[in-house]
Structures are given as C-alpha cells and as structure tokens.
Amino acid sequence: MSVDLLLDPYYLTLLLTALYALWVGAFFAVGADNVGYKARLWTTGFIHLFFSSDKKFSVSKEIDPDAIKHLTDVEKKTLVFIRHGESEWNEVFNKGFGPSFPVRLLKAIVREWRLLVTGDSVFVDSNLSDEGADQAVALRKFLADPKNAAEPGVQLINGAGKLYCSNLRRSMATTGICLSDRLQRTGEKVQMMTCLQEVTFNIDGLALADANTLPALAHPAEFARVVPDPAAVFTTKHNVGNKPLRGTGLTRMKQFAEYCFNKDTPDTLIVGGGHSLWFRFFFQVFMPKSSDHISKKKKLVNCGACSLTLTRGKHQGKWVYRIEPESVEVIYGGFGGK
C-alpha cells in the first residue's frame, strides 16, 4: 500500500480512531500491561509511518554485483526463499478499496478492541489470516507429495541446511506450518532474525516480540496444532528486537548477506515465511544491474518458494555479493505479485 494512501484523510481518520479506542481502553481493561505495551507500539507505529527511513535507500547507488562476475575464487551459498501466507493486514488492505473495504476495516478494529488486554493484535505484527494458513498448508502438502520428492528444490526444503525466519509472526507461523513435517522429523530449531524483518513503513511490519523473546502465537489454529510449544521450535538468539527508526532495509539485507558467509553458517540457508518486499529488494540489490529478471519486478506469491545461488568476492578490498541470475529456480508458486 502506498504512502499516499496512508496519508489519505479518510484512511488516516479510521486508523487514528482505532488508536484512540486503544488508548481509551487502557482505563477500563484488566490487562493494563498489555494495553500499555500496545499503546506504545501504536505510537511507535505512527512514528515509523511518518519518519522511518526503512525504504529510503537507492539501489542504483550500490555497486554492480557483476564487479565479481569473473572472479575465480568466489564463495558460494545456496538460499531458499519462502514467502509468508496472506496476513490479516493483507486481508483488510490488499483486497481493494471498494464497498467492502470499510466493512473489513471495521471488523478488524472490533477484533483489535477485543484483543486489547492480550498480547495479540490484528494490525501490529499482523499474523496469518485463515486464508494465509491454508496457503501454508497447501505448500506443506506439496512438499510431502511423493510425486515431488525428486525435485531438487523440494529436497533442499525438506532436508538441507538450516532454517530461518523473521521476528514477525506471519513469518514464524508460515514456517511452523509449511515445514512442520521436517521440524517434527528432525527436532531442529528455526532461528528468528531481526535482519529479515520486512522493509516497510506500515505498522504491520513492527514486531510484538522484544529482543530475545517470542511473540504471542496462539493462532492461527493450524499453527497451534502443529507447533504446540513455539519455544521448542524457535530460537531467539538473532532476534535483537524491532528494526531501528532511522535504519534501512538495505542495512538489514547486507547484514543477512554477511551472515550467510560466516564460518559457522551452513552451505544452504532456508528462509521460511520471509517477506515480499524484503525479497524483491534483495534481488534488486544483489542481482547484476544488467539483469531484467522477473524477481526484480514482481513479488513471490503468497507461500511461493524459490532457490538461488549467492556468491561473495572481493572488489577493491571490499566484499561484494552477487546472485547468479541463472541460478534462480521456482520451487512452488512463482513470481506474480506487484
């Protein structure tokens, strides 16, 4: 959703009304701690909306990754990107602004009010919608289908490397659902990473969880069924809390690229339930400027998955990262979102 739309008086009035309702609720709610915490998050959210620098970086000013194209001593890593399913925020704001929009928004505000005394939220750190949970289940079934077992991408997701997700709930829920068969089989943990947090000004991109903690994850119901104890599945070592107000998504993407080549990092890294804009910017920054690959223009569809090769080499004394365009392979869903 564009910033222009967010500044529209009608839309802004509705959001401010919702915020006011939360503040008023603080005087009546039993769970005062949760109400106060949410009020602070909403305040932070509006500050981010108008003053965040998260998307204020220039891809064109970055060095062309082809600077290391002809090097023979580059390091290589295999990455798998899985986008999260539809979120409750998407359900409200990404399905058009016709006559049904005010109804969807009002229902969401009512739900937010009912969640006031809990650690849950519809708007802040928006979780998966029911449709999003169904999309994650569909991916899980695809990965478990014997007919797909020989596919290289499926083999990567089902057994290679280590698993990562962002510190946002829709990322965690998607990972827990679509990779539940693998998680139950191996007993491994998924590493939450702040550097994978979505590149956006919107409040749905703010994390409910503080540093080194887990957020409220009681829903969707399918996630609660397959991951009854999130603490046994997710590790918070790399969750350093919310992205900074004056930081940028570019900085976080570079942090992740650097992490990929740490000495203790496996050859394959699987980002389960990652974010559409983060992924698209990652392709734009680290794919050669001459490439017109679709991943630089279109988002992965909900629960879409792809694999790619990321290389690293030295140019003029500095590390440069490059995605090999020919290495990008669609595993499920593909690119199609705007």
Side-chain angles (χ1 to χ4, degrees):
M1 182 168 49
S2 69
V3 174
D4 289 340
L5 179 59
L6 290 173
L7 296 178
D8 180 87
Y10 170 70
Y11 171 75
L12 191 55
T13 299
L14 289 172
L15 279 182
L16 288 172
T17 300
L19 178 60
Y20 176 74
L22 290 177
W23 276 97
V24 171
F27 294 100
F28 302 99
V30 176
D33 289 344
N34 284 325
V35 173
Y37 179 59
K38 284 184 179 177
R40 292 193 298 274
L41 274 177
W42 273 83
T43 302
T44 301
F46 276 99
I47 293 173
H48 270 265
L49 181 61
F50 295 109
F51 301 107
S52 172
S53 58
D54 204 34
K55 295 172 71 173
K56 295 179 179 179
F57 57 89
S58 174
V59 174
S60 63
K61 292 181 179 179
E62 293 300 302
I63 188 169
D64 190 340
D66 266 350
I68 63 169
K69 179 178 180 179
H70 299 295
L71 295 182
T72 58
D73 58 345
V74 296
E75 303 169 75
K76 294 188 176 184
K77 294 286 184 175
T78 298
L79 306 183
V80 175
F81 287 166
I82 302 172
R83 183 186 172 185
H84 66 75
E86 181 193 69
S87 70
E88 293 178 310
W89 176 278
N90 298 151
E91 187 176 50
V92 175
F93 296 109
N94 289 14
K95 291 190 173 183
F97 294 92
S100 66
F101 169 66
V103 177
R104 298 196 307 272
L105 182 59
L106 180 59
K107 287 182 178 179
I109 291 174
V110 170
R111 281 199 60 218
E112 188 74 38
W113 172 262
R114 290 175 175 172
L115 294 172
L116 188 61
V117 298
T118 74
D120 202 351
S121 175
V122 176
F123 296 110
V124 181
D125 195 354
S126 189
N127 207 339
L128 288 185
S129 66
D130 290 340
E131 182 176 346
D134 290 342
Q135 292 165 344
V137 169
L139 175 54
R140 180 179 69 204
K141 291 179 178 178
F142 174 83
L143 296 172
D145 191 332
K147 292 185 296 184
N148 303 320
E151 295 292 329
V154 172
Q155 292 179 349
L156 283 174
I157 295 176
N158 282 339
K162 290 186 178 180
L163 306 177
Y164 302 85
C165 70
S166 84
N167 56 344
L168 297 178
R169 295 185 300 164
R170 54 191 179 276
S171 173
M172 300 173 69
T174 299
T175 305
I177 294 172
C178 73
L179 300 181
S180 59
D181 291 341
R182 170 173 171 166
L183 292 169
Q184 291 170 7
R185 183 179 71 251
T186 65
E188 65 192 297
K189 287 201 171 188
V190 181
Q191 301 189 49
M192 294 170 58
M193 303 186 81
T194 296
C195 63
L196 294 172
Q197 196 170 352
E198 177 64 306
V199 184
T200 183
F201 301 136
N202 294 338
I203 59 174
D204 70 318
L206 290 181
L208 281 172
D210 286 330
N212 303 120
T213 65
L214 292 171
L217 286 164
H219 74 287
E222 179 62 17
F223 175 81
R225 186 185 72 82
V226 297
V227 186
D229 181 12
V233 173
F234 297 95
T235 178
T236 61
K237 176 183 177 181
H238 298 292
N239 173 23
V240 297
N242 260 313
K243 57 189 179 184
L245 176 67
R246 303 311 297 170
T248 68
L250 178 63
T251 299
R252 297 197 302 282
M253 288 184 285
K254 288 182 175 180
Q255 288 172 345
F256 180 72
E258 181 179 354
Y259 172 83
C260 288
F261 292 91
N262 286 348
K263 64 179 181 178
D264 298 326
T265 305
D267 291 335
T268 300
L269 296 88
I270 298 172
V271 178
H275 302 281
S276 59
L277 291 176
W278 193 102
F279 285 155
R280 191 171 66 183
F281 279 126
F282 194 87
F283 283 113
Q284 291 173 355
V285 170
F286 297 121
M287 196 172 279
K289 295 184 185 295
S290 60
S291 173
D292 62 352
H293 196 277
I294 189 174
S295 61
K296 298 171 76 173
K297 309 167 191 173
K298 300 288 186 178
K299 300 175 183 177
L300 270 174
V301 300
N302 288 331
C303 285
C306 70
S307 61
L308 60 113
T309 298
L310 182 68
T311 63
R312 182 176 80 160
K314 281 283 184 72
H315 175 71
Q316 297 181 350
K318 295 183 179 181
W319 289 116
V320 175
Y321 302 91
R322 180 179 185 270
I323 296 173
E324 298 178 357
E326 65 278 5
S327 73
V328 180
E329 296 285 346
V330 171
I331 300 171
Y332 180 79
F335 297 90
K338 294 181 180 180

